[in-house]
């Protein structure tokens, strides 16, 4: 695919890096010479210095006939404008990064596709939605919903108390004859290897395991992993950024008790006006005495979303030391993901990764409607719509020439999430959730073309 990315900031560079690994034809546009120089020297891509809203620059990038334009500059006005221009100049699809989530909420009112914008993404809104989902599934450290929860991906670190530690996947499945969950990926403690489990794969203590479950499987999974579902009611948020504001607003709307700590006095007063149902505290969240005064020990969850990754990590560690059950930290450095479970923080969030996940489904071949990358795992989860012409149509799962580096986690049919085993026959119109390693992606895509 020929892909043009406007904006060499954190999101743009990260996208360019991921896409360049897949041998895509990438052109990166930015006004900042230093950002482009770093990308040019580290990635196998083409770079152009200039204003992406310039028609001359877009023509130089060969916009006519390109497959995808991604506008991820820091200015949502620039992103919207350049996507409109790109579509008029012959680009097939366009994606614009925005900061005002109102545009997304009013997509039906404002016909952005008629303006030339196929997709709007807000990394801040994606992060806030991810936080709310993790709050709802409080025992797990990673979640993703397919088709509004018909199938759910959850990640969990196995404690020693989990009843199937030391048992194989097949033995664990026999505990529950009515199967409502499927393990799709495992990372052993202290390793960087991703295992796609088979029937004989043995679960070990402190494994990070990812499951696909349907709505009936949640309680089974709590029993199977030894986790206890605890209600979360009291939440403390550190940082009044866009992510902090959106998270506080959403949680207040769900009747959570929210305390938000913001260092900047002017911003704190703004938040107090905009969030009447939350308690806004003007103070430095790095001050342990302040956290203790605000009754940190009584919190069910602590969410650190300041602009400083180290502050977020350290404050979450303080919260853990005070026995706060659920901690989440927003981080910018992708390398920190390798540390999350070893240092005791439940979940690390990264806006770049969330935005890249959302955009990546437009790059995948086949009818991909959803996609996520697992934090710190070399694996992708893809949701395909089965076409009448797909190679998998009309075949039983056990008869598919499926690579060992991939597995089917579940199928959505007739508005029902199904944990599909070998005897399940795939039909046109099914939505199939697949977990696969990078080496298997091309084979999987061919099966669903």
């Amino acid at each position: 695919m020929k892909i043009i990315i406007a904006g060499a900031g954190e999101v743009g560079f990260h996208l360019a890096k991921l896409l360049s690994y897949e041998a895509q034809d990438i052109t990166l546009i930015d006004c900042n010479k230093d950002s482009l120089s770093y990308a040019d020297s580290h990635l196998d891509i083409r770079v152009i210095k200039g204003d992406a809203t310039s028609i001359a620059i877009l023509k130089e990038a060969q916009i006519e006939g390109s497959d995808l334009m991604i506008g991820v500059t820091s200015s949502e006005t620039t992103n919207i404008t350049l996507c409109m221009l790109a579509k008029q100049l012959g680009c097939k699809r366009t994606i614009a990064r925005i900061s005002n989530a109102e545009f997304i909420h009013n997509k039906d009112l404002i016909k952005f596709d008629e303006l030339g914008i196929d997709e709007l993404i807000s990394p801040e809104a994606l992060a806030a939605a991810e936080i709310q989902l993790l709050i709802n599934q409080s025992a797990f450290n990673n979640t993703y919903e397919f088709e509004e929860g018909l199938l759910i991906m959850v990640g969990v670190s196995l404690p020693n108390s989990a009843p199937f530690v030391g048992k194989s996947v097949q033995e664990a499945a026999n505990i529950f004859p009515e199967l409502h969950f499927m393990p799709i990926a495992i990372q052993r403690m202290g390793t960087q290897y991703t295992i796609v489990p088979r029937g004989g794969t043995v679960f070990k203590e402190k494994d990070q395991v990812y499951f696909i479950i349907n709505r009936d499987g949640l309680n089974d999974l709590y029993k199977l992993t030894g986790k206890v579902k605890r209600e979360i009611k009291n939440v403390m948020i550190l940082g009044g950024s866009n992510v902090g504001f959106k998270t506080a607003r959403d949680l207040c709307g769900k009747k959570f008790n929210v305390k938000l700590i913001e260092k900047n006095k002017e911003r704190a007063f703004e938040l107090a006006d905009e969030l009447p149902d939350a308690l806004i505290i003007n103070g430095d969240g790095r001050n342990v005495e302040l956290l203790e005064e605000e009754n940190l020990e009584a919190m069910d969850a602590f969410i650190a979303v300041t602009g400083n990754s180290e502050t977020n990590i350290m404050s979450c560690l303080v919260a853990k030391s005070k026995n706060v059950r659920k901690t989440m930290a927003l981080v910018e450095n992708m390398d920190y993901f390798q540390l999350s479970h070893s240092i005791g923080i439940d979940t690390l969030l990264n806006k770049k990764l969330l935005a890249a996940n959302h955009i990546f489904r437009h790059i995948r071949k086949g009818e991909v409607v959803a996609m996520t990358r697992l934090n710190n795992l070399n694996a992708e989860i893809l949701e395909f719509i089965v076409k009448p012409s797909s190679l998998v149509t009309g075949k039983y799962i056990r008869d598919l020439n499926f690579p060992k580096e991939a597995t089917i986690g579940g199928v959505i049919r007739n508005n029902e999430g199904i944990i599909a085993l070998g005897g399940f026959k795939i039909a046109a119109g099914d939505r199939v959730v697949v977990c696969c390693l990078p080496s298997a992606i091309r084979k999987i895509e061919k099966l669903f073309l």
Side-chain angles (χ1 to χ4, degrees), residues 68 73 85 125 136 150 187-188 206 213 215 235 242 257 322-323 329 340 372 413 426:
L68 182 63
T73 73
L85 291 171
N136 292 336
L150 294 178
Q187 183 185 40
R188 301 289 190 207
K206 296 185 179 179
I213 61 174
R215 285 172 173 164
V235 180
N242 284 337
N257 299 322
K322 302 297 182 182
N323 297 316
S340 59
T372 185
R413 177 185 290 176
I426 295 175

Side-chain angles (χ1 to χ4, degrees), residues 392-428:
V392 299
T393 305
K395 292 186 179 179
Y396 292 100
I397 289 177
R398 61 170 170 258
D399 297 331
L400 296 176
N401 185 23
F402 227 66
K404 290 184 179 180
E405 300 87 0
T407 186
I408 292 178
V411 176
I412 296 170
R413 177 185 290 176
N414 298 328
N415 211 35
E416 179 187 0
I418 303 165
I419 302 302
L421 302 179
F424 184 87
K425 191 175 185 179
I426 295 175

Side-chain angles (χ1 to χ4, degrees), residues 100-126:
N100 186 355
E102 271 190 330
F103 291 149
I104 295 175
H105 299 322
N106 292 286
K107 280 195 296 186
D108 295 334
L109 185 64
I110 309 296
K111 305 295 183 184
F112 284 98
D113 56 338
E114 294 179 6
L115 298 174
I117 305 165
D118 295 301
E119 185 86 17
L120 296 169
I121 63 162
S122 167
E124 292 80 13
L126 291 171

Side-chain angles (χ1 to χ4, degrees), residues 66-97:
S66 60
D67 296 293
L68 182 63
M69 161 60 83
I70 305 171
V72 286
T73 73
S74 57
S75 166
E76 69 178 17
T77 305
T78 299
N79 296 334
I80 290 172
T81 303
L82 68 88
C83 283
M84 292 168 63
L85 291 171
K87 203 59 175 281
Q88 291 287 318
L89 292 169
C91 183
K92 294 175 185 175
R93 289 189 65 81
T94 61
I95 301 173
R97 173 190 178 177

Side-chain angles (χ1 to χ4, degrees), residues 292-304:
E292 289 175 342
E293 286 174 8
E294 295 303 331
N295 213 7
L296 176 62
E297 292 183 2
M299 294 296 120
D300 300 310
F302 182 87
I303 304 164

Side-chain angles (χ1 to χ4, degrees), residues 52 61 78 86 115 122 174 189 197 203 223-224 245 314 318 339 380 405 423 432 435 447:
T78 299
L115 298 174
S122 167
N174 291 336
M189 179 68 176
F203 294 104
K223 295 174 187 174
L224 200 62
F245 167 71
M314 293 307 297
V318 171
L339 303 174
E380 292 183 11
E405 300 87 0
V432 180
C435 177
L447 290 173

Side-chain angles (χ1 to χ4, degrees), residues 48-226:
I48 298 176
K49 181 181 180 298
D51 182 356
T53 59
S54 163
I55 294 174
I57 291 292
L58 290 174
K59 285 183 176 180
E60 184 183 347
Q62 301 172 353
I63 190 69
E64 185 179 355
S66 60
D67 296 293
L68 182 63
M69 161 60 83
I70 305 171
V72 286
T73 73
S74 57
S75 166
E76 69 178 17
T77 305
T78 299
N79 296 334
I80 290 172
T81 303
L82 68 88
C83 283
M84 292 168 63
L85 291 171
K87 203 59 175 281
Q88 291 287 318
L89 292 169
C91 183
K92 294 175 185 175
R93 289 189 65 81
T94 61
I95 301 173
R97 173 190 178 177
I98 59 168
S99 55
N100 186 355
E102 271 190 330
F103 291 149
I104 295 175
H105 299 322
N106 292 286
K107 280 195 296 186
D108 295 334
L109 185 64
I110 309 296
K111 305 295 183 184
F112 284 98
D113 56 338
E114 294 179 6
L115 298 174
I117 305 165
D118 295 301
E119 185 86 17
L120 296 169
I121 63 162
S122 167
E124 292 80 13
L126 291 171
E130 179 79 358
I131 289 169
Q132 188 168 339
L133 190 57
L134 287 161
I135 289 287
N136 292 336
Q137 310 293 351
S138 59
F140 306 115
N141 53 37
N142 201 309
T143 59
Y144 189 86
E145 286 190 348
F146 297 91
E147 304 306 312
E148 297 182 349
L150 294 178
L151 288 176
I152 306 171
M153 185 276 294
V154 296
V156 61
S157 180
L158 296 184
N160 187 42
S161 58
F164 66 108
V165 166
K167 293 184 172 63
S168 68
V169 170
Q170 185 61 52
E171 289 170 335
N174 291 336
I175 297 174
F176 295 96
E178 292 288 328
L179 195 64
H180 300 298
F181 58 88
M182 176 71 73
I184 56 169
I186 298 174
Q187 183 185 40
R188 301 289 190 207
M189 179 68 176
T191 74
Q192 296 300 311
Y193 300 107
T194 303
I195 300 169
V196 175
R198 299 295 171 193
T201 304
V202 176
F203 294 104
K204 297 182 179 180
E205 182 185 356
K206 296 185 179 179
D207 277 354
Q208 175 68 16
V209 186
Y210 292 85
F211 294 90
I212 295 290
I213 61 174
N214 60 18
R215 285 172 173 164
D216 297 326
L218 202 54
N219 289 331
D220 287 350
L221 197 58
Y222 277 120
K223 295 174 187 174
L224 200 62
T225 57

